[in-house]
Amino acid sequence: MTSLGVYQLSVFLAILVATLATVVAKWRSVLSLLGWNLQRRNKWKRERLRDLAEREEVEQEEDRLEKEVATHHEEKEAPYSPDRLDDWDGYIGFFHPFCNAAGGGERVLWAAIKATQQQYPKAMCVVYTGDVNITIKPTRLQSQRRGSFSEEERQKKEAILDKAEANFNIRLHRPRIHLEFLSSRDWVLASRYPYFTLLGQSLGSLRVAYDAFSLFIPNVFIDTMGYSFVTAFAGLVLPHMPTGAYVHYPTISTDMLGSLDVNTGKGLNAGTGRGWKGYLKKRYWHLFARLYGWTGGQTDVVMTNSSWTQAHIRSLWGPSRARTGKSSAIEVVFPPVSVEEIEKAVKVSEASEPKREKTLLYIAQFRPEKNHELILEAFAELLRGSTTGPRNPAKDAKLVLIGSIRNDNAEDINRVSWLRRRVIALGIEDHVQFICNAPWKQMLDYLGKSSIGVNGMWNEHFGIGVVEYQAAGLICVVNDSGGPKEDIVVEIDGSPTGFHANTAKEYAVAFSKALALSPKEALRMRQRARKSARRFSEEGFARSWVGQLDKLVQINILPLPFRRTHAVSLSEALKQYISNKYDQHPDMFKEDLDIIDRLRTEAVTSLEAHASGVRKLAGYAAQVVWVGGKFPIDIGVEFTWYPSLGFNTQRPVSQNNLRFELANTLFNLAALYSQLGISANRSTSEGLKTAGNYFCQAAGVLVYLRTDIIPDLRSTPPEDMDPMTLESLEQLMLAQAQECSWSMAIKNGYKDALIAKLAAKVSDFYDQAAEFGTRSDIISTEWIHHMTAKHHHFAAAAQYRAACDCLEKRKYGEEVARLKDSVTCVNEALKEARWINKVVSGDLHGLKMKVTEDLKRAEKDNDMIYLQPVPPKSELKTLDRAGMAVAKKPTEISDPATSLGDRGQFGQPLFSKLVPYAVHVAASIYEERKNRLVNSSIIDELEGLTNKLRDLLQSLNLPGSLQALEKPLGLPLSLTSHAEETRQQQGLHKIRRSMHDVESLKGNDVATYKEGVELLRLEAAEDDQARLKHGTERWTRPAGQQAADKLYAQVGEIDGYLKSANSSDELVKNKLKDVEPVLRVLEGTDRDLEEYVPSSRKAVMPPKVEQEARKLRNILNEISRLEGRRRRKVESLRAKAKADDVNTVLLTETARLERKFPMQKIEAVQFEDLFEQRLQRYDDDRIMVQDEQEEQDHIVGQLQEANAAFTSTRRGDTSTREREQALQRLENAYLKFKEILSNLDTGRKFYNDLAKIVTRFRDECREFRYQRRMEAGQIETDLSNAMSSLSIAQSNSLQEQKQRETLRSQYSAKAPHKEPLTAPTPTRVPVSPSPATPGMWSPEMGIKFGGAAPQPPKEGNTHNPAYPNSLLGQMRNTQWDPNQGVRFA
């Protein structure tokens, strides 16, 4: 076949599968009509079946076996009570077309029926079977009219049940079992479909299903053979009939798909995926797997026989079940094995070991998948001794093959014949024995005398025979796959219970090892195997089966449905946020980021009623609560969830809100608790207690959601989480929890008075649930009718129990009054019968019947014997209430500190090392305040004092005048040291290089800023052009300047910052221009300096001048020491401020706040007291400034006095004036050099900070223009469509006005909602700093915004040009004022 032909066939199969799905979706109503017709046609049969069962029970009353079964039922059955809800007498259909076979599937069927009869003794079990050709004893058959059942069918039933009892030792109550014989069973035989077998059998099963429902329609339908198309058909045709499935083996599995691989494939289809046929088969199987998965989504309750089957069914059916809202978990119900009976029949002890023969026993049906050939080949190799060595312990070993052959099945018969010929070909016919259709006693005999139990099937779904081996103490050698590997032959007490193998050689080696075990080793392994087998007893199966059956039968309790969501990457948003907002690198939290994604995935996929989901949902919710204190709720992820209640369950709701995510997660946790309550086995007191606890926990989660989460959502809550809806659901959960307490009181035989109190409280809860439900727009009318009916039902049950209590206390008149009121309540409840399910309706009818009978008896007795007055209802005492149900709030979520940490059940809290956002803000505020205090209030004051002192010295021409006199020749030492420092720093070259760097940074910032402005201009031009084209009547969206007012405001702000910074740049340039000639001399050679500084004419000072000069020098030296001491103080203060790390203290305080208020978001304002206390450590430094001021004032006075005396002694002396002036110019040039370098460093820091701001400004302009372009295109399209419709429909002016309003509301584009020019350092908490004094800008201080428009530097401040302070603060709509501090808002 050509590749084109293969492709065409693949397309055909795809179209076929898609067509089937489409037909089903489109014809649901037609299929429902078909189901109604089938019900109508078979309605007569139910009563006929019940009459026949009752007649058989009477006829067989004398039979000993039936008496034993009946006695067994009487022991299991609780005494009948009118308000008992599990006394069910419906019809359960079991679809099992091959029920007369003797395999493991049939054991499951009959054991399930036995467990069903024990749980519901009044129920009728109807088995759909295709075993029509059963050989029965000859008898005279009478023709029967329609409405009766033939004697032939009855004898066939007896024959089938006799065989089941013989093969499995399962005794059943036969009158309550009915068999419907299917004439169309051939439609599911594989031999009928040589091609497309899987699809053919599945579609053929629909024909058999129609045949079954044409014969009889039960209340509950269960498939016990794995025909998933049948249960899907039942769900579509009879949507109100609960359906269940017990899956022994998936029709198709991932292992089957993998088996087609040429190199690694295993099983019957190993390696068949080669060539065009293999390709076609792969495509066919994959398409069938999709269809198979869809059918699984239509079944209400699904059970599997092993963990292996469960895993495959979950992968295939799980997605479809989640889409269809099937909340019941796919549970493992291990098949029943006669462990107890085998243990009684087969002893495992030292005394029994000598009776064991070297026999290898293989019990399995004779079918290809059982792989008998592999076992024969392995056994032949064992006998040849190739795996055992010279001393072969298996020379006299024997292999016994026991299996069933389906009646008149030629394929099975031919299979056994082929195996016999294969045994002869291998030359082992003397060592192999075949036993077909062995009775149970014969199998027990072989189990007792064999040594090894064998299983050869690859991916055996479970392996009942293997469990029987273990129960009998056989050492198992099984295939290394499927159920035998995962569930059965596992280690017990840390030691093996058998061997695993794959190939014939591996099996032979395993046989040899097992036979070579010493007697003691063999006995210990047999005992471990028996201990392992006790996990699979019939009692355990019955308990698990009843728990799942109760979900189908007891549907008088409502579960909360799960909410669905889409997968999102929360870690990416958190990583981006950490990168943008914190000074910690996201890679530090890589593990936490991976964990949060994994937790969410596990939580949102826990959509089955399994206890493991509680930990997943609660753990994720606790972590979300925890991280809510470290991240803002609008983290940047659109969480999408689908409502689970109401009319819009297919319409998703999306919000960028962490609390929205938390609310939905908590709702699913409540839903899980409710479904776990329904899944509990409420037929036992312990199960009722467990269920009630689950319902209380569900109510607690809903209370927490309503009171703590929804009010703080900060956005519109989902429509199905409004207060009335949540309140109704809370009361519903409490009602169902209280109902469990009521049921438990009945089972435990409590007094009627207490039961009445419990029932009255149940009624109250349901009444409140219905009341809140009517106020909700979401709670369905079906649920409200259910709640209302339950309210009246339990009010009736309460009065009935109170009447029973009155009878016991001989209050016969009150008994009659309460029974009358009970009847009234029942009648009120039955008014809801049209809208409630049959189980609730049946409970009500049963209660009414019993109460009516008791009322007749009570009235008769009272009228004829007791003659007590019957009080009216108004005089009856109100019944007391006994409330047992209390909502249990989830403290592990509301207080994460209790569940997270070293001893927490949910592990370590995530991002615990991440500084919370508010703490980062607080640290920024503290740093700004500390820097402002240290720099402005202390250092700037000290430097201001120093500058004043230097200005004074410069005005007094000091120290130049003194240096010229003291050293009339050569260069002063201080001058040479200044010159050397200037040379080492490369003087003018360093200044020009720094200026060039600043200009480059400035140019880049200006270019980026102009690019953003140009984008806004182009957007405005495009908008104006569109407005001119369409006119202002139709083009109604606001102009860009209105839509992005904050963005346009930034244009003026940034322009103001640039102008202010440019003024500072010019001031620095002017400084350099003024001092450049002298600075050239200062950075020159000593010869240049000597030439620049002239020598004095006098070489000797007069005594009077020398005396005054000495005094002046001492004062100047004191000033130098003062400056040096002050400089050291400044350096020490800066070091102190740098070492002042508030982070540790903030984190300690944060931890305390998080423990005390876990749900309260940490705000920086909470640290105000801590800030004030912390800043008090600088009080001594502020006092030091005052001391420095006083000391300087004192020394300045001395300086002025000494300089005046010095000047007066030299009055008229001009010999050193030129030298004085030269030295003073050089000193001033040195000081200016240092000042300019400091100014340029400040400018460089400013433009670097500005670069981040203008870059974001440009990016926002790009995003805004892009959004406006997209919006404009959509508007033009809508306007074109609107104009077309207007021209056709001739809309009136009112319609035109509505259209304009719609367009205006829909297309009023806004700029990005992000805060404009948000800086890397968060500063969002309201703080009102004290005004800062003007001073030099330093890199430690933030660039500050807020206040008046930027002004050029004041002329009085010639030392420090004022660059706009910190662009790391948040920009506001106001302009910057260099005299104002940081404004936080």
Side-chain angles (χ1 to χ4, degrees), residues 120-188:
Y120 299 106
K122 296 185 178 182
M124 283 293 298
C125 297
V126 180
V127 181
Y128 299 96
T129 177
D131 296 302
V132 296
N133 298 321
I134 301 297
T135 302
I136 58 176
K137 296 179 181 179
T139 183
R140 187 168 63 88
L141 302 178
Q142 299 177 355
S143 61
Q144 304 289 329
R145 62 178 178 84
R146 184 187 178 208
S148 62
F149 304 99
S150 67
E151 179 67 18
E152 180 183 7
E153 290 182 349
R154 191 187 69 78
Q155 291 190 18
K156 286 181 179 179
K157 182 185 83 170
E158 294 297 325
I160 291 174
L161 295 180
D162 287 341
K163 183 177 179 180
E165 183 173 340
N167 288 330
F168 308 121
N169 195 28
I170 296 177
R171 294 186 295 273
L172 301 169
H173 185 59
R174 300 189 179 191
R176 291 285 171 176
I177 299 175
H178 175 72
L179 271 60
E180 290 287 355
F181 292 93
L182 307 172
S183 59
S184 55
R185 189 179 70 176
D186 290 349
W187 284 80
V188 296

Side-chain angles (χ1 to χ4, degrees), residues 764-825:
D764 292 346
F765 278 132
Y766 275 117
D767 184 36
Q768 293 174 14
E771 178 65 23
F772 286 112
T774 56
R775 301 180 192 175
S776 167
D777 295 331
I778 299 302
I779 301 297
S780 67
T781 55
E782 289 82 359
W783 278 31
I784 294 174
H785 287 303
H786 174 90
M787 298 170 189
T788 304
K790 289 280 225 172
H791 158 57
H792 293 300
H793 177 197
F794 280 95
Q799 290 290 17
Y800 173 78
R801 288 290 179 172
C804 294
D805 183 59
C806 291
L807 176 62
E808 184 179 354
K809 296 177 179 179
R810 301 182 180 181
K811 298 178 180 179
Y812 304 110
E814 184 177 346
E815 177 196 9
V816 173
R818 293 196 179 277
L819 287 173
K820 287 182 177 180
D821 189 51
S822 180
V823 172
T824 302
C825 293

Side-chain angles (χ1 to χ4, degrees), residues 828-839:
E828 286 295 320
L830 286 173
K831 291 179 181 179
E832 312 289 336
R834 289 179 56 192
W835 301 280
I836 59 179
N837 63 54
K838 296 178 181 179
V839 175

Side-chain angles (χ1 to χ4, degrees), residues 25 51 134 308 505 616 659 888 942 1186 1203 1271 1306 1337:
D51 292 343
I134 301 297
W308 181 90
K505 185 173 182 180
K616 296 175 182 178
R659 287 189 175 273
K888 299 179 180 180
L942 293 176
Q1186 299 175 3
N1203 185 68
E1271 180 184 274
Q1306 186 176 357
W1337 187 90

Side-chain angles (χ1 to χ4, degrees), residues 394-458:
K395 289 183 178 179
D396 54 347
K398 185 177 181 181
L399 174 64
V400 178
L401 304 177
I402 298 179
S404 63
I405 298 177
R406 290 169 289 186
N407 289 345
D408 300 329
N409 191 297
E411 182 180 354
D412 290 355
I413 296 173
N414 294 335
R415 179 71 181 169
V416 174
S417 300
W418 183 87
L419 289 173
R420 292 181 187 276
R421 292 194 297 271
R422 183 61 178 160
V423 166
I424 296 173
L426 291 171
I428 55 175
E429 61 272 16
D430 294 336
H431 297 269
V432 178
Q433 180 181 357
F434 288 84
I435 301 176
C436 298
N437 295 329
W440 176 242
K441 291 184 179 179
Q442 188 177 8
M443 285 195 287
L444 278 178
D445 180 56
Y446 274 99
L447 286 170
K449 64 184 180 182
S450 300
S451 294
I452 299 174
V454 183
N455 173 273
M457 180 177 175
W458 174 71

Side-chain angles (χ1 to χ4, degrees), residues 903-917:
R903 298 181 180 180
Q905 57 179 315
F906 300 137
Q908 293 295 332
L910 300 180
F911 307 100
S912 57
K913 297 181 180 179
L914 178 67
V915 179
Y917 183 85

